[in-house]
Structure formats: structure tokens, C-alpha cells
Amino acid sequence: METLLNPSKTAKLFVPNIPLFKSSFLHSAFNPQTRILFNRKTLSFTITGKAKTSQGRKTDGKNISKKILLSDSAPELSNEEVEPKPKNGGGAWGLVRKLPKRVLAVLSNLPLAIGEMFTVAGLMALGTAIDQGEAPEFYFQKYPEENPVLGFFTWRWVLTLGLDHMFSSPIFLGTLVLLATSLMACTYTTQIPLVKVARRWRFLQSADAIRKQEFSDTLPRASVKDLGVVLMAAGYEVFLKGPSLYAFKGLAGRFAPIGVHLAMLLIMAGGTLSATGSFRGSVTVPQGLNFVVGDVLGPTGFLSTPTEAFNTEVHVNRFYMDYYDSGEVSQFHTDLSLFDLNGKEVMRKTLSVNDPLRYGGFTIYQTDWSFSALQILKDDEGPFNLAMAPLKLNGDKKLFGTFLPVGDTNSPNIKGISMLARDLQSIALYDQQGKFAGVRRPNSKLPIEIDGTKIVVVDAIGSSGLDLKTDPGVPIVYAGFGALMLTTCISFLSHAQIWALQDGTTVIVGGKTNRAKAEFPDEMNRLLDRVPEIVQSSISKQPDSIGG
């Protein structure tokens, strides 16, 4: 390499043997095109300037011509640098590399995401309309092939598509997965880049660029520093760089859409876990009897896993009801005791409707009641426990009855006394001919004689209807809905950006916002009115105009 300082004198300069295109200086100064290097031709760069001596003195003002020559022996570029781009897009490998971007572009499509959400909503509505978890015979009768619903919907659709367990069916879970994928793709391709751009400090050096903003104005005698003070007082983050100013506020509003997407993902994940990882069961237990939690609970999906708490034994200490003045049932209660494997009572609580019992990850709800047995004395003998059976008569939902044989029990035509009850507070008795004999209250100790038999109603023993479930997805769903409400409110915050440029004694101001576009100009005018005006004695001290 040679440097020609004068046509008559040639000085040799030492140049280290460093590959040219790996030198950061030459990259930034010359940046030659790689296609020239493939031709293996000599490159020549001529730089003209004024030289200084080693003592720092200037020359006579003559121009210096510096010529840099690149010979054919210049080092080869690495394969990564010289590899030309295929004209056909890289063939199969190029398609493979472009495939993720194309898939992300399709998944992040807004109409597709909206369609997925409507599909999920439709499936949920269908799951609400169709009874869930029933035996196949139930669907055979309700959706027969002889009389299909809407002309085509029969039990085959229900059982084939898994509509009898909609929220754990492959079609519903697959749609949820697709929607979750679309949300993640939209977050990755759209929301995160928007946040990255919003976080950058963008100084505009051109007055024309500032005037092209949604709002722009000019302050004839003002200082950009005074404007920055006013904006800081209004809650803006302000940055100054020479004559340029950049300010913003409401950056949290840019993060909110990402939070909304994450909240929706949490809700869907929690709902999926609830549908595929829960246990459910129901039991009707007479007062005084026990049951084991694990014997009642059944899995709802492939992620259901039992715990140690399933070995808990539950004892029904007492079941009782509250009544209105009219005699109707107002509330029913169950006093429960929970025992571990060693027979130690670990918890006791009286639960009622809307006041469940929670222990060890499972929850017990009071949902129903029944009439178990009627305890009586017959001719001062007993007590005898007569089982009460549910009856369906004239549409009564709660009607129970029992029968006390009288006379020869081995006779083919057994006769006796009938007893009916709609609740636990009064018993209606009928003689052998079916005629009404009277009403007695349990524990009243008031006897009644029917067909020569004296009867005393000692007690009415009820049964507690309990629903049990484990639902590991509930905390996740609650957290998702809480995050969704919070991020939805945050998303209404406006992300406002303001640019300003000092041009002599004039300040050019411009700004934009993503929300509240009608209120933004009024806010800007109020802020600009607070900027102090520079007095005449200070004008001469302002810097020269930097132009726009």
C-alpha cells in the first residue's frame, strides 16, 4: 500500500497486514461493495485534504492526494460474507427459513383470531345447551335418529364429537390452543415491536418532520428548556439533546395490550386445566353416616391426579333446615366432621347453600336434601326406622312417603298406615283405607291412634345432598380475570409523544397520541400557554438558527 503526498516525493507508510474488510475503520469509512471483490480487480480510493506536520503546523495549503491501492492479493472474505443470495429464494432451504414468518403472519391475522373467539363462544353455548356428563342412553332418548333436532342433529353428533363433555373434548381444546397460538403470534409480531419502538428516544432534527405531526405549533420567543420544565410538571418524561427535545407519557398504555393477551392466555390455561385436571362427584348421605372423599370423586380428564386429601373421611353429624313463616324451606345446613387416616378430626364446619367447606384442595357444597327415614314408636314399642322414598305426584318435586304394615305381614294383601311428608317438620298420616288421619310433628311426643294402633313420631332423619369437586384451574382463572380487568383499564391510558426543536429564538413543537385524539390539542395548547416568553434582552444571546 502506498501513499502519494507529492508528485516529486514518495513516502513509505507502514500498514499492518490486516484484512481490509475486517477492519471496523474501513467498514465505517469506505464500506465497499462485496460484488466488486468477486471480480478480483484493483480498487483505488483517492482522498483529498490538508495535511499537518508532526509539530501540528499546517502546510502551505496545498491539497494532499492520498491514494490507497488494493492489489489482487487481498484476502478472501469468509463464506458467510461472499455467499451470494440465490435468485430463486434459496430453494427448499429458503422456504423452510421463510415458513415460520409466514405461519406467524397467518396466525396473527386479526379476522382469524376473531373467528376463533366466536367459535369458542359458540362451542361454550352449545355445551351449555346440551346436558353434560350423562349416560349414553340419555342422549339416545333426547336426540333420537327418528326425530333429529333441526333436521340433522342426533345422538351420533353428540357422542362422536364429544359434545357430552364439551369442555374437555378435542374440538373445544383444539380451538382453544389455536386461539392461544394466535394471541402469542400477535404479541410477538405486533405488540412487542410496538413497545420497543415506543421506548426509544426519538429526536427529530428537522422542523418539517415536527410540523407533520398530528399537532404542531410554533413559539416565536421561547426556549426549549423552558418547554421541557413545563412538560415535566405535566407528568412527561423529558429528554434533551442539544436543540432537540423529546418527551412522552403513558408508556404503560403500550404495554397494556400485551398484558391483555397474557391475561386471556391465563384464563384459557386455567379453564383447560379445570376441564382436564379436575375431580367431581355428588353424594346424598343420611344423618349419622360417613363417606370417604376418594370414593365419591371421579376424574374429569387425562390430567386429573388424586391427592392425599382423597383419603379424608367425612361424617355427617347433623342435617337440619330453616323455614319461612309460611312453612317453606329457606335454608338447609349440614354439620360435617373431617377425619384423617388415623381417625383424628382435622376439621369441623356447618356448611349451607353458598357457604361451602374447603379442605386439602377439594370443596364440599351443600346443594340438595332428602328425607332418609322416619323414626316412630308403635304401641310404645320401638323406636322403628321407616325408610322414606321419594314420590312423584302432581308435579311435586319434594314428596316422600313410607308405609307401616298392620296385621299379618305374610298376607298377600298387606294393609297398613301410610305417612307422607314434604319436609322434616310435619308428617301426614293416613289409615288403611287411605283416609286422612292427622298430622304430627317430629319430637312433639303427641301420639295418634289409627285403626287401633298408637303411633308416636319420634324424629325425622334427613339426608344431606353434597357436591364435591377439585378444581386446580380456579386460582389461575381468577388471576387471569383480575389481570384482564387491570390491563383493560390501563389500555385506555394515552401514549402521548412530543417533539420540539430550537430554531434561533423560535421553538417548533409537534406531538401525537394513540388515544384521546380530540382532547390532545387542547392539552397541548394549555401546556404551551405556560411556556414563558423570552424578553428582548435575552434574544441576542440565543444560538444561531439551525434551520429546519
Side-chain angles (χ1 to χ4, degrees):
M1 182 177 293
E2 297 178 343
T3 303
L4 303 180
L5 299 178
N6 194 296
S8 60
K9 291 185 179 182
T10 301
K12 297 289 185 177
L13 297 180
F14 171 74
V15 179
N17 187 16
I18 300 175
L20 175 63
F21 294 102
K22 293 182 184 267
S23 169
S24 59
F25 172 76
L26 292 179
H27 262 300
S28 60
F30 304 109
N31 193 20
Q33 298 296 324
T34 57
R35 68 175 184 273
I36 300 176
L37 197 60
F38 295 132
N39 297 328
R40 307 285 296 169
K41 293 182 179 179
T42 301
L43 300 182
S44 176
F45 299 90
T46 302
I47 302 175
T48 302
K50 293 179 183 267
K52 292 183 180 180
T53 65
S54 59
Q55 288 80 11
R57 293 182 289 106
K58 292 186 179 181
T59 64
D60 295 336
K62 296 181 179 180
N63 289 341
I64 299 175
S65 177
K66 180 185 289 186
K67 190 172 184 180
I68 301 176
L69 301 176
L70 301 180
S71 65
D72 288 341
S73 61
E76 292 285 351
L77 294 175
S78 63
N79 291 335
E80 294 179 356
E81 294 176 329
V82 300
E83 181 180 359
K85 294 183 179 180
K87 295 182 179 180
N88 58 358
W93 176 244
L95 292 177
V96 172
R97 294 181 63 182
K98 293 180 180 179
L99 183 60
K101 294 183 179 180
R102 293 182 178 179
V103 172
L104 288 174
V106 172
L107 291 175
S108 59
N109 184 266
L110 181 59
L112 175 63
I114 294 176
E116 293 164 354
M117 294 183 66
F118 274 106
T119 302
V120 171
L123 291 175
M124 293 175 66
L126 190 59
T128 303
I130 299 176
D131 298 270
Q132 300 290 293
E134 301 291 343
E137 292 78 10
F138 173 84
Y139 303 103
F140 294 159
Q141 298 177 2
K142 190 165 185 178
Y143 306 102
E145 293 184 325
E146 296 79 12
N147 187 22
V149 178
L150 302 177
F152 69 94
F153 191 81
T154 65
W155 61 267
R156 294 185 182 275
W157 287 86
V158 177
L159 300 182
T160 303
L161 298 179
L163 305 184
D164 56 329
H165 52 280
M166 171 66 76
F167 303 103
S168 60
S169 63
I171 185 173
F172 183 78
L173 295 180
T175 307
L176 276 185
V177 170
L178 187 59
L179 177 58
T181 306
S182 293
L183 288 175
M184 290 187 288
C186 178
T187 302
Y188 178 76
T189 60
T190 304
Q191 301 301 334
I192 293 179
L194 286 177
V195 171
K196 289 182 178 179
V197 171
R199 292 183 63 187
R200 294 173 184 165
W201 302 352
R202 301 171 53 200
F203 294 96
L204 298 182
Q205 305 294 338
S206 170
D208 291 338
I210 296 177
R211 292 190 180 100
K212 291 179 180 179
Q213 302 301 318
E214 296 175 359
F215 171 89
S216 64
D217 200 352
T218 302
L219 303 178
R221 291 187 298 274
S223 171
V224 72
K225 294 182 180 180
D226 293 336
L227 174 62
V229 173
V230 172
L231 293 177
M232 289 180 64
Y236 281 82
E237 295 286 341
V238 179
F239 305 93
L240 285 171
K241 183 180 180 182
S244 300
L245 177 145
Y246 172 65
F248 71 88
K249 73 173 182 178
L251 185 59
R254 286 294 189 182
F255 286 92
I258 298 178
V260 170
H261 288 181
L262 292 178
M264 294 179 66
L265 291 174
L266 277 178
I267 295 172
M268 290 188 290
T272 302
L273 184 59
S274 296
T276 60
S278 302
F279 286 84
R280 300 181 186 278
S282 59
V283 62
T284 301
V285 188
Q287 175 179 302
L289 297 186
N290 303 352
F291 68 92
V292 177
V293 172
D295 294 339
V296 176
L297 292 174
T300 61
F302 59 91
L303 296 179
S304 301
T305 304
T307 63
E308 290 292 334
F310 282 33
N311 296 320
T312 304
E313 185 177 12
V314 182
H315 178 74
V316 180
N317 300 312
R318 185 186 174 207
F319 174 78
Y320 60 98
M321 295 189 294
D322 298 332
Y323 301 91
Y324 293 111
D325 294 338
S326 61
E328 297 180 354
V329 177
S330 64
Q331 181 66 280
F332 33 99
H333 312 265
T334 305
D335 181 9
L336 297 179
S337 291
L338 276 60
F339 299 89
D340 59 15
L341 289 174
N342 299 322
K344 178 182 177 182
E345 186 179 52
V346 294
M347 186 177 183
R348 181 168 183 173
K349 180 179 179 178
T350 299
L351 65 154
S352 58
V353 179
N354 298 326
D355 184 18
L357 180 150
R358 293 182 173 88
Y359 174 79
F362 64 82
T363 306
I364 303 178
Y365 298 90
Q366 179 75 72
T367 57
D368 202 358
W369 68 276
S370 183
F371 207 136
S372 175
L374 187 65
Q375 193 174 76
I376 66 168
L377 293 176
K378 177 184 177 184
D379 295 329
D380 298 327
E381 296 180 357
F384 302 100
N385 289 333
L386 303 178
M388 299 288 286
L391 304 175
K392 292 183 179 181
L393 181 65
N394 297 329
D396 284 337
K397 294 182 179 180
K398 292 292 185 181
L399 180 62
F400 303 90
T402 188
F403 182 77
L404 175 64
V406 177
D408 186 9
T409 57
N410 295 322
S411 173
N413 296 321
I414 301 176
K415 294 184 179 181
I417 300 172
S418 301
M419 306 177 193
L420 300 178
R422 285 190 172 87
D423 50 47
L424 302 181
Q425 64 178 349
S426 60
I427 309 297
L429 295 92
Y430 299 83
D431 62 15
Q432 299 182 37
Q433 286 73 37
K435 295 181 180 180
F436 176 71
V439 177
R440 290 293 182 270
R441 289 182 176 275
N443 301 313
S444 65
K445 299 181 181 180
L446 181 64
I448 182 172
E449 186 170 340
I450 303 176
D451 296 332
T453 302
K454 186 176 71 172
I455 298 175
V456 177
V457 180
V458 178
D459 194 11
I461 303 174
S463 295
S464 178
L466 305 173
D467 276 4
L468 288 79
K469 75 170 186 177
T470 66
D471 198 340
V474 166
I476 302 176
V477 172
Y478 283 178
F481 273 110
L484 182 62
M485 290 187 289
L486 178 62
T487 53
T488 300
C489 294
I490 294 176
S491 66
F492 285 100
L493 296 177
S494 299
H495 177 235
Q497 296 174 283
I498 296 175
W499 293 270
L501 188 64
Q502 185 81 53
D503 186 1
T505 60
T506 302
V507 176
I508 300 96
V509 184
K512 66 178 182 178
T513 182
N514 64 335
R515 299 187 185 277
K517 294 182 179 296
E519 294 80 4
F520 183 67
D522 296 335
E523 179 187 1
M524 286 297 301
N525 287 325
R526 287 194 299 269
L527 293 175
L528 296 183
D529 289 341
R530 300 176 187 173
V531 179
E533 184 178 358
I534 299 176
V535 296
Q536 187 66 27
S537 60
S538 301
I539 295 179
S540 60
K541 300 180 182 180
Q542 296 298 321
D544 295 336
S545 175
I546 60 173

mmCIF file of all heavy atoms in Angstrom, residues 438-464:
data_model
loop_
_atom_site.group_PDB
_atom_site.id
_atom_site.type_symbol
_atom_site.label_atom_id
_atom_site.label_comp_id
_atom_site.label_asym_id
_atom_site.label_seq_id
_atom_site.Cartn_x
_atom_site.Cartn_y
_atom_site.Cartn_z
ATOM 1 N N GLY A 438 -104.502 -37.493 60.305
ATOM 2 C CA GLY A 438 -103.999 -36.393 61.113
ATOM 3 C C GLY A 438 -102.560 -36.047 60.749
ATOM 4 O O GLY A 438 -101.924 -36.691 59.910
ATOM 5 N N VAL A 439 -102.054 -35.020 61.413
ATOM 6 C CA VAL A 439 -100.693 -34.531 61.179
ATOM 7 C C VAL A 439 -99.965 -34.471 62.510
ATOM 8 O O VAL A 439 -100.538 -34.034 63.527
ATOM 9 C CB VAL A 439 -100.712 -33.136 60.520
ATOM 10 C CG1 VAL A 439 -99.283 -32.609 60.364
ATOM 11 C CG2 VAL A 439 -101.402 -33.184 59.171
ATOM 12 N N ARG A 440 -98.727 -34.914 62.501
ATOM 13 C CA ARG A 440 -97.915 -34.863 63.699
ATOM 14 C C ARG A 440 -96.539 -34.282 63.359
ATOM 15 O O ARG A 440 -96.009 -34.489 62.266
ATOM 16 C CB ARG A 440 -97.733 -36.258 64.314
ATOM 17 C CG ARG A 440 -98.991 -36.829 64.926
ATOM 18 C CD ARG A 440 -99.397 -36.012 66.161
ATOM 19 N NE ARG A 440 -100.599 -36.559 66.823
ATOM 20 C CZ ARG A 440 -101.844 -36.195 66.530
ATOM 21 N NH1 ARG A 440 -102.078 -35.307 65.559
ATOM 22 N NH2 ARG A 440 -102.866 -36.718 67.201
ATOM 23 N N ARG A 441 -95.997 -33.567 64.341
ATOM 24 C CA ARG A 441 -94.658 -33.006 64.182
ATOM 25 C C ARG A 441 -93.644 -33.925 64.860
ATOM 26 O O ARG A 441 -93.916 -34.441 65.954
ATOM 27 C CB ARG A 441 -94.569 -31.611 64.802
ATOM 28 C CG ARG A 441 -95.331 -30.552 64.023
ATOM 29 C CD ARG A 441 -95.152 -29.185 64.663
ATOM 30 N NE ARG A 441 -95.798 -28.145 63.895
ATOM 31 C CZ ARG A 441 -95.258 -27.508 62.868
ATOM 32 N NH1 ARG A 441 -94.023 -27.826 62.491
ATOM 33 N NH2 ARG A 441 -95.916 -26.578 62.231
ATOM 34 N N PRO A 442 -92.505 -34.141 64.251
ATOM 35 C CA PRO A 442 -91.471 -34.927 64.922
ATOM 36 C C PRO A 442 -91.069 -34.264 66.240
ATOM 37 O O PRO A 442 -91.064 -33.037 66.363
ATOM 38 C CB PRO A 442 -90.315 -34.924 63.913
ATOM 39 C CG PRO A 442 -90.971 -34.678 62.594
ATOM 40 C CD PRO A 442 -92.127 -33.779 62.884
ATOM 41 N N ASN A 443 -90.758 -35.104 67.237
ATOM 42 C CA ASN A 443 -90.335 -34.659 68.561
ATOM 43 C C ASN A 443 -91.457 -34.000 69.359
ATOM 44 O O ASN A 443 -91.200 -33.446 70.445
ATOM 45 C CB ASN A 443 -89.147 -33.689 68.476
ATOM 46 C CG ASN A 443 -87.943 -34.296 67.792
ATOM 47 O OD1 ASN A 443 -87.558 -35.433 68.105
ATOM 48 N ND2 ASN A 443 -87.347 -33.570 66.856
ATOM 49 N N SER A 444 -92.691 -34.036 68.848
ATOM 50 C CA SER A 444 -93.791 -33.460 69.619
ATOM 51 C C SER A 444 -94.265 -34.404 70.727
ATOM 52 O O SER A 444 -94.935 -33.965 71.668
ATOM 53 C CB SER A 444 -94.969 -33.140 68.692
ATOM 54 O OG SER A 444 -95.500 -34.341 68.143
ATOM 55 N N LYS A 445 -93.948 -35.703 70.620
ATOM 56 C CA LYS A 445 -94.330 -36.735 71.602
ATOM 57 C C LYS A 445 -95.847 -36.854 71.751
ATOM 58 O O LYS A 445 -96.338 -37.421 72.737
ATOM 59 C CB LYS A 445 -93.706 -36.464 72.960
ATOM 60 C CG LYS A 445 -92.179 -36.470 72.946
ATOM 61 C CD LYS A 445 -91.619 -36.215 74.332
ATOM 62 C CE LYS A 445 -90.095 -36.208 74.303
ATOM 63 N NZ LYS A 445 -89.509 -35.966 75.661
ATOM 64 N N LEU A 446 -96.563 -36.371 70.739
ATOM 65 C CA LEU A 446 -98.018 -36.442 70.780
ATOM 66 C C LEU A 446 -98.470 -37.669 69.995
ATOM 67 O O LEU A 446 -98.255 -37.756 68.785
ATOM 68 C CB LEU A 446 -98.633 -35.177 70.163
ATOM 69 C CG LEU A 446 -100.157 -35.095 70.151
ATOM 70 C CD1 LEU A 446 -100.704 -35.058 71.583
ATOM 71 C CD2 LEU A 446 -100.615 -33.867 69.380
ATOM 72 N N PRO A 447 -99.096 -38.653 70.659
ATOM 73 C CA PRO A 447 -99.486 -39.886 69.956
ATOM 74 C C PRO A 447 -100.737 -39.675 69.099
ATOM 75 O O PRO A 447 -101.503 -38.741 69.301
ATOM 76 C CB PRO A 447 -99.743 -40.866 71.087
ATOM 77 C CG PRO A 447 -100.152 -40.012 72.241
ATOM 78 C CD PRO A 447 -99.408 -38.714 72.093
ATOM 79 N N ILE A 448 -100.918 -40.572 68.134
ATOM 80 C CA ILE A 448 -102.117 -40.598 67.311
ATOM 81 C C ILE A 448 -102.518 -42.056 67.132
ATOM 82 O O ILE A 448 -101.674 -42.921 66.892
ATOM 83 C CB ILE A 448 -101.878 -39.914 65.952
ATOM 84 C CG1 ILE A 448 -103.184 -39.911 65.148
ATOM 85 C CG2 ILE A 448 -100.752 -40.568 65.185
ATOM 86 C CD1 ILE A 448 -103.081 -39.082 63.857
ATOM 87 N N GLU A 449 -103.807 -42.336 67.274
ATOM 88 C CA GLU A 449 -104.292 -43.714 67.182
ATOM 89 C C GLU A 449 -105.008 -43.892 65.851
ATOM 90 O O GLU A 449 -105.956 -43.166 65.541
ATOM 91 C CB GLU A 449 -105.228 -44.039 68.335
ATOM 92 C CG GLU A 449 -105.634 -45.504 68.358
ATOM 93 C CD GLU A 449 -106.370 -45.887 69.616
ATOM 94 O OE1 GLU A 449 -106.256 -45.157 70.624
ATOM 95 O OE2 GLU A 449 -107.068 -46.924 69.591
ATOM 96 N N ILE A 450 -104.551 -44.880 65.086
ATOM 97 C CA ILE A 450 -105.126 -45.146 63.772
ATOM 98 C C ILE A 450 -105.401 -46.639 63.689
ATOM 99 O O ILE A 450 -104.490 -47.464 63.842
ATOM 100 C CB ILE A 450 -104.159 -44.720 62.644
ATOM 101 C CG1 ILE A 450 -103.789 -43.236 62.774
ATOM 102 C CG2 ILE A 450 -104.766 -45.010 61.275
ATOM 103 C CD1 ILE A 450 -102.764 -42.795 61.757
ATOM 104 N N ASP A 451 -106.688 -47.017 63.427
ATOM 105 C CA ASP A 451 -107.105 -48.420 63.300
ATOM 106 C C ASP A 451 -106.618 -49.245 64.483
ATOM 107 O O ASP A 451 -106.125 -50.379 64.352
ATOM 108 C CB ASP A 451 -106.568 -49.026 61.999
ATOM 109 C CG ASP A 451 -107.140 -48.350 60.765
ATOM 110 O OD1 ASP A 451 -108.272 -47.818 60.844
ATOM 111 O OD2 ASP A 451 -106.453 -48.330 59.721
ATOM 112 N N GLY A 452 -106.714 -48.669 65.697
ATOM 113 C CA GLY A 452 -106.346 -49.394 66.902
ATOM 114 C C GLY A 452 -104.859 -49.430 67.178
ATOM 115 O O GLY A 452 -104.434 -50.084 68.138
ATOM 116 N N THR A 453 -104.052 -48.728 66.398
ATOM 117 C CA THR A 453 -102.599 -48.714 66.596
ATOM 118 C C THR A 453 -102.177 -47.313 67.025
ATOM 119 O O THR A 453 -102.483 -46.326 66.351
ATOM 120 C CB THR A 453 -101.864 -49.100 65.314
ATOM 121 O OG1 THR A 453 -102.299 -50.409 64.901
ATOM 122 C CG2 THR A 453 -100.360 -49.131 65.556
ATOM 123 N N LYS A 454 -101.449 -47.260 68.160
ATOM 124 C CA LYS A 454 -100.973 -45.956 68.648
ATOM 125 C C LYS A 454 -99.581 -45.687 68.079
ATOM 126 O O LYS A 454 -98.683 -46.517 68.221
ATOM 127 C CB LYS A 454 -100.945 -45.942 70.170
ATOM 128 C CG LYS A 454 -100.593 -44.563 70.728
ATOM 129 C CD LYS A 454 -100.675 -44.536 72.243
ATOM 130 C CE LYS A 454 -99.534 -45.327 72.872
ATOM 131 N NZ LYS A 454 -99.497 -45.146 74.348
ATOM 132 N N ILE A 455 -99.443 -44.529 67.464
ATOM 133 C CA ILE A 455 -98.174 -44.173 66.803
ATOM 134 C C ILE A 455 -97.687 -42.845 67.366
ATOM 135 O O ILE A 455 -98.473 -41.894 67.525
ATOM 136 C CB ILE A 455 -98.350 -44.064 65.279
ATOM 137 C CG1 ILE A 455 -98.772 -45.430 64.703
ATOM 138 C CG2 ILE A 455 -97.054 -43.562 64.614
ATOM 139 C CD1 ILE A 455 -99.091 -45.386 63.226
ATOM 140 N N VAL A 456 -96.372 -42.784 67.658
ATOM 141 C CA VAL A 456 -95.714 -41.553 68.077
ATOM 142 C C VAL A 456 -94.546 -41.291 67.112
ATOM 143 O O VAL A 456 -93.678 -42.155 66.937
ATOM 144 C CB VAL A 456 -95.187 -41.649 69.525
ATOM 145 C CG1 VAL A 456 -94.430 -40.365 69.895
ATOM 146 C CG2 VAL A 456 -96.335 -41.903 70.492
ATOM 147 N N VAL A 457 -94.565 -40.131 66.466
ATOM 148 C CA VAL A 457 -93.476 -39.753 65.549
ATOM 149 C C VAL A 457 -92.344 -39.168 66.385
ATOM 150 O O VAL A 457 -92.475 -38.077 66.953
ATOM 151 C CB VAL A 457 -93.957 -38.733 64.498
ATOM 152 C CG1 VAL A 457 -92.800 -38.355 63.571
ATOM 153 C CG2 VAL A 457 -95.123 -39.313 63.701
ATOM 154 N N VAL A 458 -91.257 -39.938 66.474
ATOM 155 C CA VAL A 458 -90.137 -39.528 67.328
ATOM 156 C C VAL A 458 -89.226 -38.529 66.619
ATOM 157 O O VAL A 458 -88.895 -37.477 67.166
ATOM 158 C CB VAL A 458 -89.332 -40.773 67.770
ATOM 159 C CG1 VAL A 458 -88.131 -40.350 68.626
ATOM 160 C CG2 VAL A 458 -90.232 -41.732 68.531
ATOM 161 N N ASP A 459 -88.825 -38.836 65.407
ATOM 162 C CA ASP A 459 -87.852 -37.970 64.725
ATOM 163 C C ASP A 459 -87.957 -38.176 63.220
ATOM 164 O O ASP A 459 -88.370 -39.256 62.741
ATOM 165 C CB ASP A 459 -86.428 -38.287 65.202
ATOM 166 C CG ASP A 459 -85.421 -37.214 64.797
ATOM 167 O OD1 ASP A 459 -85.847 -36.143 64.335
ATOM 168 O OD2 ASP A 459 -84.203 -37.454 64.943
ATOM 169 N N ALA A 460 -87.575 -37.118 62.500
ATOM 170 C CA ALA A 460 -87.460 -37.169 61.031
ATOM 171 C C ALA A 460 -85.983 -37.036 60.686
ATOM 172 O O ALA A 460 -85.353 -36.022 61.022
ATOM 173 C CB ALA A 460 -88.275 -36.057 60.382
ATOM 174 N N ILE A 461 -85.432 -38.059 60.055
ATOM 175 C CA ILE A 461 -83.995 -38.096 59.748
ATOM 176 C C ILE A 461 -83.795 -37.685 58.290
ATOM 177 O O ILE A 461 -84.292 -38.353 57.377
ATOM 178 C CB ILE A 461 -83.415 -39.497 60.003
ATOM 179 C CG1 ILE A 461 -83.669 -39.915 61.459
ATOM 180 C CG2 ILE A 461 -81.924 -39.520 59.681
ATOM 181 C CD1 ILE A 461 -83.250 -41.338 61.764
ATOM 182 N N GLY A 462 -83.097 -36.596 58.106
ATOM 183 C CA GLY A 462 -82.867 -36.109 56.752
ATOM 184 C C GLY A 462 -81.546 -36.593 56.180
ATOM 185 O O GLY A 462 -80.674 -37.114 56.889
ATOM 186 N N SER A 463 -81.399 -36.408 54.894
ATOM 187 C CA SER A 463 -80.157 -36.721 54.176
ATOM 188 C C SER A 463 -79.640 -35.446 53.531
ATOM 189 O O SER A 463 -80.417 -34.638 53.000
ATOM 190 C CB SER A 463 -80.391 -37.791 53.109
ATOM 191 O OG SER A 463 -80.756 -39.019 53.702
ATOM 192 N N SER A 464 -78.339 -35.293 53.568
ATOM 193 C CA SER A 464 -77.702 -34.101 53.008
ATOM 194 C C SER A 464 -77.203 -34.405 51.603
ATOM 195 O O SER A 464 -76.470 -35.376 51.387
ATOM 196 C CB SER A 464 -76.545 -33.650 53.899
ATOM 197 O OG SER A 464 -75.892 -32.540 53.350
#
